[in-house]
């Protein structure tokens, strides 16, 4: 300021007061021409002090100079801070003007100046990049004004600044570092900056989310006290909404990161709910809105369902229901909680079932649904609360046939409990009360209990109402038409007509009941044919829709009200063109288009409450078919009925084939199970065979050892016993052993014959079932596997038989040598001891052979059982042979298509070859497929040689 006094002091002494523009010009000259940093700093500080009062002059003369200061004087944080503050004052629209008389005009002018100076700043993209680099400075006097300046630029020119930040290296990361700043002022202003940065830009939202934004923001909310926190919590919640709203990628990342579970403590309110502060109400309201963002009906159904499931599993839904049933909760929080619970349970069966089990803390306890419906039909409750309760009831019944059945059951005579108040009784009470809003809400709620549920539409026909003492009961359908004919308020009639249209659509029985009352059709035709005002046009359109439903879903069971007679009545009394014109009044109404946008009923006033979202879908589906039905002739109707009958027959045929396929699936499943059991038995048998092979090898080794020992002892061995006994063996025993070996050979030959017969059967089965469908192919593959297992078993038995033959040969040689030794002269006792040892070993070998014979018998029995199971497989293949003929035709067609594809592939190969030739002509190196094929062929030859070597080994 001393410098400012020096600049202005000389002119004041001469009596001439300098203008602001002149002073700013001299300050700008001093910033440009001064060589001393202190002088430039004082000049920039003076510009800062004048920037609020002389905003236009400073902005036009000093902006470029200040931007140059940011580039050249980066080392001095003080002058950088002054320059940033000055630029902020220039582009910001929050400055207060001194002139009070022209405050409004100057405010408009200030807004224009802010936009103009922002455009000047944004002419060069490098200015925003420079500002981002300055934000890396930790100095408070640099970082804080930089954050405020960038926030203002985003407010004025958001999309342009977002694009620059997006392409700037590490631009978003630098801004995310502001959340970790220990100075709360910078951190809080950083939140405001990120709010502006993430508005409407999905790419930046994704980058911010993957920079651990969710973790940081949730930590800040927890540190600040969650719902009891201050405005910082509010800023964090707004930023979270920006990141998650309409961003499916971030919503999935939020769910997969287990951040939904961290939201549950936000809603743990105490028992004492008195004295809620305004900030707490705001925070909790934003928290509820954040939950709704995750489960909004506008999100993809899969993402919404997964979030709903997590909210139930972590207890968030349970906590919301506690708030819903708590006392002392502010009205706006209660309303938003009802809307939140509505969308958490919408379309989720498990959540809907839990909500049906919630009871209010009353004496006696009442279901939460009943308590909410009591508020909906109470005209003293706030309008927004009644709309929220209606939305909750609609979401509870959305795709919930179980809940629809429970609501309708409370109206049936067999289930009515006179001692307690039920949902059905409340709906009937609201439907026939004097409050038109209650009539409309109850009619729409009851219509949602019938949506896409023909069973409940028929059940509702059983409902009887007691009108007065001494008079017979009247059906609910008749009572609705009676109220319509009495000429009540437009809102009441619209609600009842929507209920009747929903009730009668797709339900010919209900149409018959409606037409059975002779007064209904004349009433509808009279309403449609009259020329009434604009308020009654909506009623006329709904009456036309109801009459059209009676025509389209008419089964012609009533002679006086057949489909053809109703069309003739319209043509005579109303006229087809006029009828179509009255029908079009519905979708042309402004309330119709508003209701068709969102499922939630949102109305500015009770008078605007006319249409329901689900009903607009019904009108959209029915309008075209009704118009078509009106213009159809009787012959076309007959043709359509014939087509319907043929379609029904076709459906019956399809269902028959489906049953056949199911039976075949069951048979195939049984076949798979039998094959799996056979495979298990085969594995056990293979284990047994391997054990036998190991035992035979062990016997062979022992026998070789005995043969070597006998060879050494032949020259010293002498027969000790008489000629009737050879080494302890009787001749009869030796002959018996030979006979047993011969019998084993015969049994083995028989087993081989049986195996060959089974092999032939398996080959026949596999050849017959070779071209079936995928299921039959699976069965043939299992038969082929069984064949391979039996072949393996046969080879193992062959090996075993060869081993037995070899053993027999060697035993005969041993006997011959023993007889030769018997004729030799007697020696000492040592050979006799060795002979005794040999005798024991041969006896043990004989036992092993007997055990082998028993195992072979067991194997023959196992093969007999395998034969039976193969017979069952063959019978199954014979059944599936019938499918073969049908599939042969399909294979022929597939071959034709394959030939066409081969022709196309040949043309493509020719084109590729020509392109490769062109590339070769241009000098490009192109690998020929012939070379690759030759290499592959060489590799295949090498593999074949390796396989042949393995086979030889």
């Amino acid at each position: 300021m001393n410098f400012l006094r020096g600049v202005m002091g000389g002119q004041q002494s001469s009596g001439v007061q300098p203008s602001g523009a002149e002073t700013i010009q001299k300050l700008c000259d001093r910033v440009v021409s001064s060589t001393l940093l202190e002088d430039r700093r004082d000049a920039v500080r003076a510009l800062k002090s004048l920037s609020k009062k002389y905003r236009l002059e400073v902005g036009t003369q000093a902006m470029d100079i200040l931007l140059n200061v940011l580039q050249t004087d980066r080392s001095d944080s003080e002058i950088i801070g002054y320059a940033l503050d000055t630029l902020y004052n220039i582009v910001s629209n929050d400055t207060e003007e001194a002139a009070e008389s022209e405050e409004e005009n100057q405010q408009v002018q200030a807004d224009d100046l802010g936009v103009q100076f922002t455009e000047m700043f944004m002419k060069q993209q490098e200015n925003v990049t420079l500002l981002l680099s300055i934000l890396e400075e930790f100095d408070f006097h640099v970082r804080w004004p930089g954050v405020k300046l960038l926030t203002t630029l985003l407010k004025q020119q958001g999309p342009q600044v977002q694009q620059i930040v997006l392409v700037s290296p590490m631009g978003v990361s630098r801004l995310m570092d502001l959340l970790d700043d220990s100075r709360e002022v910078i951190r809080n202003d950083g939140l405001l900056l990120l709010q502006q940065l993430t508005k409407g830009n999905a790419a930046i939202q994704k980058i911010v989310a993957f920079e651990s934004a969710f973790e940081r923001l949730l930590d800040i909310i927890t540190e600040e006290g969650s719902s009891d926190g201050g405005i910082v919590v509010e800023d964090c919640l707004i930023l979270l909404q920006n990141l998650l709203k309409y961003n499916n990628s971030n919503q999935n990342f939020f769910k997969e990161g287990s951040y939904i579970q961290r939201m549950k403590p936000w809603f743990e309110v105490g028992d004492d709910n008195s004295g809620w502060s305004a900030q707490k109400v705001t925070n909790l309201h934003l928290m509820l809105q954040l939950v709704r963002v995750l489960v909004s009906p506008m999100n993809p159904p899969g993402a919404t369902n997964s979030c709903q499931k997590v909210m139930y599993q972590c207890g968030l839904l349970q906590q919301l229901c506690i708030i819903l049933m708590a006392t002392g909760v502010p009205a706006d929080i209660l309303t938003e909680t009802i809307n939140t619970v509505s969308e958490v349970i919408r379309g989720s069966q498990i959540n809907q079932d839990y909500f049906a089990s919630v009871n209010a803390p009353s004496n006696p306890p009442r279901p939460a649904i009943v308590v909410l419906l009591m508020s909906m039909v109470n005209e003293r409750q706030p309008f927004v609360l009644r709309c929220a309760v209606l939305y909750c009831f609609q979401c509870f019944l959305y795709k919930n046939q179980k809940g629809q059945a429970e609501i309708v059951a409370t109206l049936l005579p067999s289930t009515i409990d006179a001692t307690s108040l039920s949902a059905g009784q409340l709906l009937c009470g609201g439907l026939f009360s004097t409050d038109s809003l209650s009539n409309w809400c109850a009619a729409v709620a009851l219509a949602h209990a019938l949506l896409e549920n023909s069973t409940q539409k028929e059940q509702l026909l059983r409902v009887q109402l007691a009108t007065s003492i001494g008079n017979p009961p009247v059906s609910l359908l008749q009572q609705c038409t009676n109220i319509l004919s009495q000429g009540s308020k437009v809102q009441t009639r619209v609600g009842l007509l929507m209920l009747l249209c929903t009730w009668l659509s797709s339900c010919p029985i209900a149409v018959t009941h409606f037409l059975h009352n002779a007064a209904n059709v004349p009433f509808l035709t009279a309403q449609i044919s009259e020329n009434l005002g604009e308020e009654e046009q909506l009623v006329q359109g709904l009456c036309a829709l109801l009459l059209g439903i009676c025509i389209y879903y008419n089964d012609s069971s009533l002679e006086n009200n057949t489909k053809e007679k109703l069309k003739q009545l319209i043509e005579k009394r109303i006229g087809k063109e006029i009828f179509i014109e009255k029908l079009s009044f519905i979708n042309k109404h402004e309330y119709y288009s508003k209701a068709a946008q969102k499922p939630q009923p949102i109305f500015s006033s009770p008078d605007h409450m006319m249409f329901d979202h689900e009903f607009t879908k019904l009108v959209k589906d029915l309008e075209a078919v009704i118009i078509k039905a009106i213009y159809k002739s009787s012959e076309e109707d007959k043709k359509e009925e014939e087509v319907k009958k043929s379609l029904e027959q076709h459906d019956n045929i399809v269902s028959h084939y489906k049953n056949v396929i199911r039976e075949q699936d069951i048979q195939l499943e049984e076949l798979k199970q039998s094959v799996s059991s056979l495979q298990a038995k085969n594995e056990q048998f293979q284990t047994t065979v391997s054990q036998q092979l190991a035992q035979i090898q062990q016997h062979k080794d022992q026998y070789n050892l005995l043969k070597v020992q006998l060879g050494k002892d032949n020259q010293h061995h002498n027969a000790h016993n008489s000629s009737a006994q050879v080494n302890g063996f009787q001749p009869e025993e030796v002959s018996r052993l030979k006979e047993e070996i011969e019998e084993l050979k015969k049994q083995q030959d028989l087993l081989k014959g049986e195996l060959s017969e089974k092999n032939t059967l398996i080959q026949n089965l596999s050849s017959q079932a070779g071209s079936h469908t995928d299921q039959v192919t699976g069965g043939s593959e299992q038969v082929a596997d069984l064949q391979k297992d039996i072949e393996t078993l046969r080879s193992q038995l062959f090996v075993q038989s060869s081993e037995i033959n070899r053993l027999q040969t060697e035993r005969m040689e041993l006997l011959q040598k023993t007889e030769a030794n018997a004729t030799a002269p007697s020696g000492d006792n040592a050979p006799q001891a060795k002979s005794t040892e040999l005798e024991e070993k041969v006896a043990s070998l004989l036992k092993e052979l007997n055990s082998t014979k028993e195992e072979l018998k067991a194997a023959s029995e196992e093969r007999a059982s395998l034969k039976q199971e193969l017979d069952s497989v063959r019978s199954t293949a014979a059944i599936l042979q019938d499918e073969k003929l049908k599939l042969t035709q399909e294979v022929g067609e597939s071959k034709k298509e394959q030939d066409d594809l081969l022709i196309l592939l040949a043309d493509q190969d020719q084109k590729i070859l020509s392109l490769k030739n062109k590339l070769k002509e241009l000098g490009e190196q192109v690998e020929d497929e012939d070379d690759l094929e030759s290499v592959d062929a060489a590799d295949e030859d090498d593999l074949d040689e390796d396989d042949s070597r393995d086979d030889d080994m």
Side-chain angles (χ1 to χ4, degrees):
M1 296 304 293
N2 293 330
F3 175 75
L4 183 59
R5 294 191 189 97
V7 172
M8 302 180 66
Q11 296 179 358
Q12 287 177 357
S13 61
S14 61
V16 180
Q17 183 70 26
S19 64
E22 294 175 351
T23 304
I24 293 168
Q25 180 62 42
K26 289 183 179 181
L27 292 174
C28 292
D29 293 339
R30 179 57 60 92
V31 174
V32 174
S33 60
S34 295
T35 57
L36 294 177
L37 179 60
E38 291 79 3
D39 293 342
R40 295 199 302 274
R41 186 190 302 128
D42 292 338
V44 174
R45 182 169 61 243
L47 287 173
K48 172 191 171 184
S49 63
L50 295 173
S51 60
K52 291 184 179 181
K53 185 175 181 180
Y54 300 100
R55 183 181 177 189
L56 177 61
E57 291 79 4
V58 174
T60 53
Q61 299 183 38
M63 178 172 285
D64 294 335
I65 297 172
L66 293 173
L67 292 173
N68 187 46
V69 169
L70 295 178
Q71 294 177 351
T72 58
D73 293 329
R74 289 286 299 274
S75 60
D76 186 70
S77 60
E78 191 173 356
I79 192 173
I80 295 296
Y82 293 149
L84 291 173
D85 282 330
T86 306
L87 290 172
Y88 171 73
N89 293 336
I90 292 173
V91 300
S92 177
N93 293 326
D94 298 334
T95 57
E96 297 179 357
E97 299 294 334
E100 297 179 358
S101 60
E102 300 178 356
E103 182 177 358
E104 294 181 357
N105 294 332
Q106 288 180 352
Q107 184 62 37
V108 175
Q109 184 180 3
D111 294 341
D112 295 338
L113 284 177
V115 175
Q116 293 174 5
F117 287 136
T118 302
E119 292 176 352
M120 292 175 58
F121 188 91
M122 295 294 298
K123 283 183 179 179
Q124 294 183 355
Q125 180 177 341
E126 293 77 10
N127 295 336
V128 180
T129 306
L130 175 63
L131 183 57
L132 290 174
S133 63
I134 290 174
L135 289 179
E136 293 182 353
E137 297 290 337
F138 188 73
D139 190 287
F140 178 81
H141 298 288
V142 174
R143 177 172 279 194
W144 189 37
V147 170
K148 294 192 296 182
L149 176 59
L150 185 58
T151 304
T152 304
L153 293 176
L154 284 166
K155 290 180 181 179
Q156 302 288 352
Q157 298 287 335
Q160 292 84 347
V161 179
Q162 287 174 341
Q163 190 61 31
I164 296 173
V165 173
L166 194 59
V167 300
S168 177
M170 301 297 291
V172 178
S173 299
R174 294 172 184 172
L175 301 180
M176 287 298 298
D177 292 339
L178 298 174
L179 297 180
D180 297 330
D181 201 304
S182 58
R183 295 159 295 192
E184 291 188 1
V185 176
I186 295 180
R187 184 198 67 182
N188 298 343
D189 283 349
L191 290 171
L192 300 177
L193 170 61
L194 291 173
Q195 286 180 18
Q196 299 296 326
L197 181 67
T198 55
K199 278 185 178 180
N201 194 309
I204 292 180
Q205 291 170 1
K206 292 179 182 179
I207 296 174
V208 171
F210 282 96
E211 289 284 345
S212 302
F214 295 140
E215 184 76 25
R216 298 181 186 182
L217 293 174
L218 292 175
D219 289 341
I220 294 173
I221 291 173
T222 304
E223 293 171 1
E224 294 292 329
S226 297
S227 60
D228 294 325
I231 195 172
V232 177
V233 175
E234 178 182 349
D235 294 336
C236 291
L237 293 171
I238 294 174
L239 180 55
L240 283 172
Q241 285 191 22
N242 289 349
L243 296 176
L244 294 174
K245 198 169 188 179
Y246 306 127
N247 195 317
N248 300 326
S249 175
N250 283 0
Q251 290 175 6
N252 185 61
F253 180 66
F254 190 84
K255 176 181 68 70
E256 296 295 336
S258 300
Y259 296 118
I260 294 178
Q261 289 83 339
R262 297 185 60 178
M263 298 169 65
K264 179 190 173 185
W266 296 353
F267 305 102
E268 293 177 353
V269 296
D271 296 334
D272 186 12
N273 294 322
S274 60
W276 287 49
S277 64
Q279 187 61 53
K280 181 176 181 178
V281 172
T282 302
N283 292 343
L284 199 56
H285 197 274
L286 290 172
M287 291 173 179
L288 292 169
Q289 287 182 346
L290 186 62
V291 175
R292 295 185 64 185
V293 167
L294 296 172
V295 293
S296 173
M298 310 305 293
N299 296 339
T304 300
N305 291 336
S306 60
C307 290
Q308 289 173 335
K309 184 178 179 182
V310 173
M311 289 178 182
Y312 173 76
Q313 292 175 347
C314 72
L316 179 58
L317 174 60
Q318 293 84 332
Q319 203 63 43
L320 292 174
C321 290
I322 291 175
I323 298 177
L324 189 66
M325 295 290 105
T327 57
V329 179
D332 51 349
I333 294 297
L334 181 61
T335 302
E336 190 64 23
T337 303
I338 295 174
N339 290 327
T340 306
V341 171
S342 304
E343 295 182 352
V344 173
I345 67 174
R346 187 176 188 269
S348 175
Q349 187 65 51
I350 185 172
N351 291 5
Q352 290 168 340
D353 291 342
Y354 170 77
F355 183 71
S357 65
V358 175
N359 289 324
S362 59
N363 191 13
R366 287 178 176 173
I369 299 174
V370 173
V371 176
L372 291 176
L373 289 178
M374 290 172 65
S375 301
M376 185 186 73
V377 298
N378 188 353
E379 55 184 316
R380 292 176 294 180
Q381 293 292 339
F383 173 66
V384 291
L385 180 63
R386 300 174 72 180
C387 292
V389 172
L390 176 62
Y391 184 45
C392 185
F393 191 75
Q394 292 174 349
C395 293
F396 170 69
L397 297 178
Y398 182 72
K399 294 183 179 180
N400 183 11
Q401 293 190 353
K402 178 182 177 183
Q404 290 175 328
E406 291 175 353
I407 296 299
V408 174
T410 59
L411 289 167
L412 299 178
S414 59
T415 58
I416 291 178
D417 186 5
T419 60
S420 62
L421 194 62
S422 64
Q425 294 173 4
L426 289 170
L427 291 177
C428 284
L431 193 62
F432 306 124
S433 70
T434 57
D435 180 25
S436 60
L437 184 59
S438 298
N439 301 151
W440 190 92
C441 291
V444 171
L446 195 56
H448 276 259
L450 306 176
L451 277 176
E452 300 178 359
N453 196 330
S454 300
T455 303
Q456 302 310 319
K457 292 178 182 179
E458 296 176 4
Q459 288 292 324
L460 200 64
L461 294 172
R462 298 169 50 200
V463 177
Q464 300 289 325
L465 302 176
T467 55
S468 60
I469 301 174
N471 293 328
V474 180
S475 67
L476 178 61
L477 183 65
Q478 183 60 42
Q479 185 66 17
C480 291
T481 56
N482 291 340
I483 296 175
L484 276 176
S485 61
Q486 293 174 3
S488 54
K489 293 183 179 179
V490 174
Q491 191 175 43
T492 300
R493 285 181 286 163
V494 168
L496 291 173
L497 286 170
M498 286 195 298
L499 172 60
L500 291 174
C501 290
T502 306
W503 193 348
L504 270 60
S505 63
S506 303
C507 187
I509 298 177
V511 172
T512 303
H513 278 72
F514 180 79
L515 295 177
H516 192 269
N517 187 350
N520 289 338
V521 173
F523 169 76
L524 293 178
T525 55
Q527 288 288 320
I528 299 170
S529 59
E530 290 181 0
N531 293 323
L532 304 174
E534 294 182 359
E535 294 181 356
E536 296 293 333
Q537 288 183 352
L538 185 56
V539 176
Q540 288 183 318
L542 292 173
C543 289
L545 178 66
L546 183 58
L547 187 56
I549 291 172
C550 292
I551 294 174
Y552 184 72
Y553 293 104
N554 194 336
D555 57 0
S556 300
S557 59
L558 298 176
E559 295 182 1
N560 295 329
N561 290 312
T562 61
K563 188 179 294 187
E564 188 63 28
K565 289 184 178 180
L566 288 178
K567 288 193 290 186
Q568 293 176 0
L569 181 65
I570 290 176
E571 189 172 1
K572 293 179 181 179
R573 297 282 183 88
I574 305 171
K576 293 182 179 180
E577 301 297 332
I578 296 176
F579 180 84
I580 301 302
E581 181 183 358
K582 296 295 178 68
L583 183 62
S584 64
F585 285 164
I586 300 175
N587 56 18
K588 290 180 180 179
H589 204 281
E590 58 175 343
Y591 297 152
Y592 176 89
S593 58
K594 291 181 180 179
Q597 295 175 0
K598 291 182 179 181
Q600 182 181 0
I602 301 176
F603 305 98
S604 57
S605 67
D607 296 335
H608 296 169
M609 208 171 191
M610 289 294 176
F611 282 108
D612 173 58
H613 177 76
E614 293 296 331
F615 182 74
T616 59
K617 294 181 180 180
L618 182 66
V619 173
K620 186 177 180 181
D621 294 336
L622 291 178
E623 185 177 10
V625 296
I626 289 174
I627 294 174
K628 187 177 180 181
I630 293 297
Y631 285 102
K632 274 184 182 179
S633 61
S634 58
E635 296 179 355
E636 292 176 346
D637 288 336
K638 292 180 180 178
K639 290 181 180 179
E640 186 176 355
E641 290 178 358
E642 293 177 356
V643 171
K644 287 182 179 180
K645 290 181 180 179
S646 62
L647 288 175
E648 290 178 357
Q649 294 176 356
H650 181 267
D651 293 338
N652 294 331
I653 295 172
V654 171
S655 61
H656 171 68
Y657 279 111
K658 286 182 179 179
N659 294 329
V660 172
I661 292 172
R662 289 192 188 96
E663 293 176 357
Q664 292 178 352
D665 289 339
I666 294 172
Q667 294 176 357
L668 287 174
E669 188 64 28
E670 293 176 353
L671 181 62
K672 289 179 181 178
Q673 293 177 358
S674 63
V675 170
S676 62
S677 63
L678 288 175
Q679 289 177 350
K681 292 180 180 178
N682 187 29
E683 291 176 357
Q684 294 177 358
F685 188 75
Q686 287 179 353
T687 304
T688 305
V689 170
S690 62
Q691 292 176 356
Q692 291 177 356
L693 290 175
Q695 292 176 357
I696 290 172
Q697 184 64 33
Q698 185 179 2
H699 295 163
K700 182 180 178 182
D701 296 339
Q702 292 178 357
Y703 181 75
N704 291 332
L705 181 61
L706 290 172
K707 186 170 66 174
V708 172
Q709 291 178 353
L710 286 173
K712 290 181 181 180
D713 296 338
N714 279 337
Q715 56 185 351
H716 303 291
H717 193 271
N718 190 12
H720 182 69
N721 296 326
S722 63
S723 60
Q725 184 178 3
V726 183
N727 287 336
F729 291 96
Q730 299 294 332
E732 294 84 0
E733 191 174 351
V734 173
S735 62
R736 183 176 57 81
L737 183 61
K738 291 180 180 180
E739 291 176 357
E740 289 179 356
I741 291 174
E742 290 296 330
E743 290 178 359
L744 288 175
K745 276 187 175 183
K746 292 179 181 179
Q747 291 179 0
Q748 188 175 9
D749 293 336
L750 291 175
L751 290 175
K752 288 181 180 179
E754 291 178 357
L755 285 175
S756 63
E757 292 177 358
K758 293 174 182 177
N759 189 17
T760 304
L761 291 175
I762 291 171
Q763 289 178 355
N764 293 331
L765 289 175
S766 61
S767 62
Q768 291 175 359
S771 61
H772 289 325
T773 57
D774 294 338
Q775 295 174 344
V776 180
T777 303
S780 63
E781 290 177 356
Q782 293 172 352
V783 172
D785 293 338
L786 186 59
Q787 177 186 359
K788 291 180 181 178
D789 294 337
I790 295 177
E791 288 291 340
T792 304
L793 181 60
R794 186 176 63 179
S795 62
Q796 292 174 352
L797 290 174
F798 179 76
V799 172
Q800 186 176 4
S801 64
S802 63
E803 291 293 333
I804 293 173
N805 292 332
R806 187 180 300 174
L807 186 61
Q808 179 187 5
T809 303
E810 291 178 355
R811 185 175 285 103
M812 294 299 295
E813 292 176 358
L814 179 60
L815 291 173
Q816 292 174 3
K817 289 181 181 181
T818 305
E819 292 174 357
N821 291 333
T823 59
S826 60
D828 53 3
N829 295 327
Q832 182 178 359
K834 292 182 180 180
S835 177
T836 303
E837 183 181 357
L838 181 62
E839 178 183 351
E840 294 176 354
K841 292 181 179 180
V842 171
S844 64
L845 185 60
L846 181 60
K847 292 180 180 179
E848 294 292 338
L849 288 173
N850 291 330
S851 65
T852 303
K853 180 179 69 174
E854 293 177 356
E855 291 174 354
L856 286 174
K857 290 181 179 179
S860 63
E861 295 176 356
E862 188 73 22
R863 289 189 186 90
S865 64
L866 289 174
K867 181 179 179 181
Q868 294 178 356
E869 294 175 353
L870 284 173
D871 291 338
S872 65
V873 173
R874 182 174 59 185
S875 63
T876 304
I879 294 172
L880 297 176
Q881 183 66 26
D882 297 336
E883 298 288 339
K884 181 179 177 180
L885 297 176
K886 298 179 182 178
L887 296 176
T888 303
Q889 298 177 356
E890 296 180 359
V891 171
E893 295 176 357
S894 300
K895 285 184 179 179
K896 291 181 182 179
E897 294 178 357
Q898 186 177 6
D899 294 338
D900 297 337
L901 289 175
L902 289 174
I903 294 172
L904 293 175
L905 287 174
D907 296 338
Q908 188 177 7
D909 290 339
Q910 188 65 30
K911 291 180 182 179
I912 292 173
L913 183 61
S914 63
L915 291 175
K916 285 185 177 180
N917 293 332
K918 290 182 181 179
L919 289 174
K920 289 180 180 180
E921 292 176 0
L922 295 174
E924 296 290 336
Q925 293 182 357
V926 181
E927 293 184 358
D928 293 335
E929 293 183 355
D930 297 336
D931 297 338
L932 297 175
E933 291 178 355
S934 63
V935 174
D936 295 337
D939 294 339
E940 292 178 356
D941 294 338
D942 295 338
L943 292 174
D944 294 336
E945 291 178 1
D946 295 337
D947 294 337
S948 63
R949 291 173 185 172
D950 295 338
D951 295 336
D952 295 338
M953 293 176 66

